[in-house]
Amino acid sequence: GAGVSQTPSNKVTEKGKYVELRCDPISGHTALYWYRQSLGQGPEFLIYFQGTGAADDSGLPNDRFFAVRPEGSVSTLKIQRTERGDSAVYLCASSQVGGDGYTFGSGTRLTVV
Amino acid sequence: LAKTTQPISMDSYEGQEVNITCSHNNIATNDYITWYQQFPSQGPRFIIQGYKTKVTNEVASLFIPADRKSSTLSLPRVSLSDTAVYYCLVGGLRGYSTLTFGKGTMLLVSP
């Protein structure tokens, strides 16, 4: 596609439930990133994929968060046993080596009630 | 990762030139300086990237002094649609590194 696509755009879930957030990067971009943004803050790094493997997952806050990219394209961020503090906008970005920078999607706004 | 410091907010009027300065005293030799723009309900958008001296594109100019400990994003003749948060970041290989965002500079352009 022309840009990074994230679905759903909004997700409301109950505390304790499991959620999946999807990211479809720009075709051919080998690097994929997940960030989380709370109100009034800059995006906070979660995890970075190079191809199919997670090259850096140091930003994942705890083991309730997990992400996969099985075929080196689409990625899914999975959150188990959601908590109200997980409420934020989850941003996905992709890039290629030698490119000027990331291309971000519009994000998924997750609200845990 | 090098830390950046930039003003929390700036105000301007339509048609004026806006300069946003960012300090990054601990920038590493292989770090690039990148600026992103973010509108509400959207992800950040790449504006410009540079390593040293001056870079100009159709949107902005980036000025980097010889010591690279600071940089200035220059937006010529801003319009209302330039109201956004602007982030200054430093990081490694172009387009291929984990970036650390600060809180950014909220630029408000008024009529």
Side-chain angles (χ1 to χ4, degrees):
Chain A
V4 176
S5 176
Q6 292 189 245
T7 55
S9 55
N10 282 283
K11 175 71 176 179
V12 180
T13 190
E14 292 182 345
K15 180 176 176 295
K17 298 291 187 181
Y18 168 82
V19 296
E20 290 190 351
L21 312 180
R22 176 189 168 105
C23 173
D24 199 340
I26 291 175
S27 178
H29 279 191
T30 57
L32 184 146
Y33 310 80
W34 284 98
Y35 283 77
R36 177 171 69 173
Q37 187 171 27
S38 300
L39 190 64
Q41 305 294 317
E44 171 192 11
F45 168 73
L46 295 177
I47 186 169
Y48 151 50
F49 286 90
Q50 176 56 251
T52 60
D56 182 354
D57 64 357
S58 61
L60 295 177
N62 51 59
D63 61 6
R64 296 187 297 105
F65 288 75
F66 189 72
V68 295
R69 195 186 185 198
E71 298 180 357
S73 178
V74 171
S75 177
T76 304
L77 178 66
K78 309 180 181 190
I79 309 174
Q80 298 177 323
R81 304 183 304 280
T82 52
E83 300 176 356
R84 293 195 179 88
D86 298 335
S87 296
V89 175
Y90 289 80
L91 295 164
C92 175
S94 68
S95 71
Q96 56 186 358
V97 178
D100 286 334
Y102 296 3
T103 300
F104 279 87
S106 294
T108 294
R109 180 175 298 279
L110 176 66
T111 304
V112 182
V113 298
Chain B
L1 293 172
K3 180 181 176 180
T4 61
T5 302
Q6 54 184 122
I8 294 175
S9 64
M10 293 183 69
D11 295 322
S12 183
Y13 294 96
E14 283 189 291
Q16 290 190 332
E17 178 185 77
V18 171
N19 297 306
I20 306 175
T21 297
C22 177
S23 64
H24 27 79
N25 291 318
N26 297 321
I27 190 168
T29 302
N30 62 347
D31 280 343
Y32 284 83
I33 299 158
T34 312
W35 286 78
Y36 284 81
Q37 174 192 57
Q38 186 175 28
F39 299 114
S41 301
Q42 294 186 25
R45 181 176 75 101
F46 172 86
I47 300 176
I48 197 166
Q49 184 178 68
Y51 184 80
K52 61 181 179 180
T53 64
K54 177 185 175 182
V55 179
T56 297
N57 62 22
E58 65 278 6
V59 177
S61 294
L62 179 59
F63 298 92
I64 306 168
D67 66 5
R68 303 200 329 123
K69 293 186 176 183
S70 66
S71 59
T72 299
L73 174 72
S74 181
L75 304 172
R77 298 179 298 283
V78 294
S79 64
L80 298 178
S81 63
D82 291 317
T83 293
V85 178
Y86 292 82
Y87 296 97
C88 163
L89 302 95
V90 295
L93 187 62
R94 289 178 67 172
Y96 203 67
S97 66
T98 300
L99 297 177
T100 300
F101 287 81
K103 292 188 176 181
T105 297
M106 175 64 218
L107 172 65
L108 176 62
V109 180
S110 300

